[in-house]
Amino acid sequence: MTIGKGLQIFPREEYLRRLAAVKSEMRRRDIDTLFVSNPSNIAYLSGHTAYSWYVPQGLVISIDWEEPTFITRRMDAPAAMHETFLQHSNVIGYPENLIANPERDGYDFIIDFFHERGLANRGIGLELSSLTLKSGPAHEKFKARLPNAKIVDCSRAVDWVRIVKSDLEISVMREAAAITTAAMLRAAEVIRPGVREADAAAEIIGTLVRGANGKPGTAVSHFCMCSSPRTGTAHIRWSEDVFRDGSQINLEIGGVRYGYTSALMRTFIIGSPSDRLRRLHDAEAAGLGAALGAVRPGATCSDVANAFYRTIEKRGFKKESRCGYSIGIDWSEPTASLRDGDTTVLKPNMTFHLMLGNWIDEDFGYVLSETFRVTESGAEALATVPRKLFEL
């Protein structure tokens, strides 16, 4: 029995449009073939999101082919046939005896494929930053076994192509944002004195999975619950502790639809906030408004960041870290940052996580954020959670 196609969240034409943009970049870099190994870029160009990236795999894109060829572990090939828009003949599973094999691995199979298809003596782009093995950099194997190829580092080529989303992608990100909204509002219901952090996390994560508006979450991404006395931390999970009167909880979550993520941060306090926390919230909320007000096509990432920095500094606070980054497939795209000096020009349908977490002391921090889309005239916040300090 042949495995059938699963739900195709995007039509074939959307993937061909993306591939055309990537091929245009390939021509600019004078390469005939691109090997895409970054999991998020594989998802962008094929629809594949299964958990298989921990072993060698990747898309082989040729200027001369309409579809890429996806080469993955044999046991993972059916998932690729199920998830991607690719024809079954363009999914190849390499033998299982290449797993945990000290002599040969999946990259050897992929390099053999280059030789067999007449690609070995041409310009080849590799995402060197994601070509790794436990034994060391895998790109050395490509260089050694493809001595006649002109190898070009294309580590960020696809990432920069996908920084501007299509309207179809924006629709999926709005679905993810609706899930984020539902989960954050559920957090406001379940965080109470005497409740275990683990039980609250289970309820919030359950909402991230169940979804909103009939659209379930398709993965659980980054989840941070930093509660008293750990509010000076940035990236820890729930603990075995319970919430108490006076507990502060800094929550960072994101709904996911087929890899597309909409992140959100809010701060909760059980009881009345301290004057220090109240002043910090007021400063950060004002800074968030100023940053969103600076968003428009033609402005730069630096313009947005500095609007935030100037606003909170006038109120006596300072944030050392960047205040955001491009977001889309997966939590963070390794391209543009909302920071001083980043001259990336904003364009409609770019999406960013305006991340205003501020960790001031080892035991004191605060979080507030929005995922937003650059519109033709400003910014659209994707979630609909009040920008308040939640007093429970």
Side-chain angles (χ1 to χ4, degrees):
M1 180 177 178
T2 302
I3 188 170
K5 287 289 184 186
L7 173 66
Q8 301 293 294
I9 193 68
F10 298 114
R12 176 183 177 84
E13 292 72 24
E14 171 72 2
Y15 289 111
L16 294 180
R17 179 196 64 78
R18 300 175 189 184
L19 286 162
V22 169
K23 288 177 181 179
S24 177
E25 181 63 17
M26 290 167 62
R27 293 186 183 94
R28 191 185 71 80
R29 296 177 182 235
D30 194 26
I31 57 174
D32 304 290
T33 309
L34 176 64
F35 179 62
V36 177
S37 49
N38 178 284
S40 296
N41 292 338
I42 291 172
Y44 178 71
L45 295 171
S46 72
H48 184 265
T49 60
Y51 181 70
S52 58
W53 50 261
Y54 59 94
V55 294
Q57 66 172 19
L59 287 173
V60 180
I61 300 172
S62 170
I63 288 287
D64 302 322
W65 304 345
E66 182 180 49
E67 288 186 10
T69 295
F70 186 37
I71 303 176
T72 187
R73 184 180 183 177
R74 182 163 291 167
M75 73 165 60
D76 291 314
M81 294 174 184
H82 180 70
E83 287 193 329
T84 72
F85 84 100
L86 303 173
Q87 299 178 60
H88 282 198
S89 60
N90 287 326
V91 176
I92 299 175
Y94 59 76
E96 287 295 319
N97 62 16
L98 296 182
I99 301 300
N101 185 331
E103 303 299 327
R104 281 175 56 83
D105 57 46
Y107 288 131
D108 286 293
F109 184 95
I110 290 164
I111 293 169
D112 289 342
F113 177 85
F114 274 77
H115 284 285
E116 293 165 4
R117 296 298 178 94
L119 307 174
N121 301 324
R122 305 167 72 176
I124 298 175
L126 301 176
E127 294 183 319
L128 298 186
S129 62
S130 61
L131 275 179
T132 57
L133 290 169
K134 290 182 179 179
S135 59
H139 66 265
E140 297 298 338
K141 179 174 291 190
F142 279 81
K143 291 179 179 178
R145 293 201 53 207
L146 296 168
N148 297 322
K150 183 189 75 172
I151 293 180
V152 177
D153 184 7
C154 295
S155 293
R156 297 288 179 263
V158 178
D159 301 88
W160 280 105
V161 168
R162 64 187 175 95
I163 192 172
V164 177
K165 279 65 178 175
S166 67
D167 289 343
L168 290 173
E169 290 178 281
I170 294 299
S171 295
V172 175
M173 290 195 68
R174 289 194 182 109
E175 292 174 357
I179 296 171
T180 309
T181 296
M184 193 65 80
L185 296 179
R186 181 61 177 152
E189 294 173 344
V190 300
I191 295 175
R192 292 291 185 272
V195 173
R196 294 193 312 165
E197 291 186 17
D199 291 330
E203 289 295 325
I204 300 164
I205 292 171
T207 302
L208 290 171
V209 174
R210 284 188 292 269
N213 303 327
K215 304 289 186 180
T218 59
V220 176
S221 190
H222 187 63
F223 183 101
C224 291
M225 179 183 281
C226 307
S227 61
S228 299
R230 297 168 292 275
T231 59
T233 64
H235 298 124
I236 63 173
R237 314 295 185 184
W238 58 91
S239 75
E240 296 190 31
D241 206 350
V242 300
F243 301 125
R244 299 174 177 82
D245 288 328
S247 288
Q248 178 184 328
I249 302 92
N250 298 338
L251 190 61
E252 182 174 18
I253 61 175
V256 182
R257 287 281 291 165
Y258 295 93
Y260 288 83
T261 305
S262 181
L264 195 69
M265 306 172 79
R266 290 293 187 270
T267 297
F268 300 79
I269 184 75
I270 299 176
S272 298
S274 66
D275 179 66
R276 186 188 192 194
L277 179 59
R278 173 67 71 188
R279 288 189 297 106
L280 179 56
H281 165 75
D282 290 344
E284 298 273 339
L288 187 150
L292 290 177
V295 174
R296 65 185 186 282
T300 67
C301 288
S302 185
D303 294 334
V304 176
N306 284 318
F308 168 76
Y309 293 134
R310 287 193 300 268
T311 300
I312 66 167
E313 286 173 5
K314 289 178 181 178
R315 294 171 176 252
F317 294 98
K318 185 176 182 180
K319 177 175 164 64
E320 295 181 355
S321 58
R322 64 181 179 171
C323 62
Y325 40 79
S326 181
I327 191 172
I329 297 178
D330 209 350
W331 196 278
S332 176
E333 296 179 337
T335 50
S337 287
L338 299 177
R339 64 168 11 128
D340 180 35
D342 189 320
T343 57
T344 302
V345 176
L346 302 184
K347 299 177 182 179
N349 276 12
M350 284 184 172
T351 50
F352 291 88
H353 183 207
L354 181 58
M355 195 285 301
L356 307 181
N358 203 347
W359 300 275
I360 296 174
D361 293 327
E362 290 183 2
D363 61 350
F364 180 68
Y366 165 90
V367 298
L368 179 69
S369 79
E370 294 286 356
T371 290
F372 71 87
R373 174 179 78 95
V374 181
T375 71
E376 295 292 342
S377 59
E380 172 198 356
L382 298 185
T384 56
V385 178
R387 296 171 195 164
K388 68 179 183 178
L389 179 61
F390 280 81
E391 300 178 37
L392 307 175

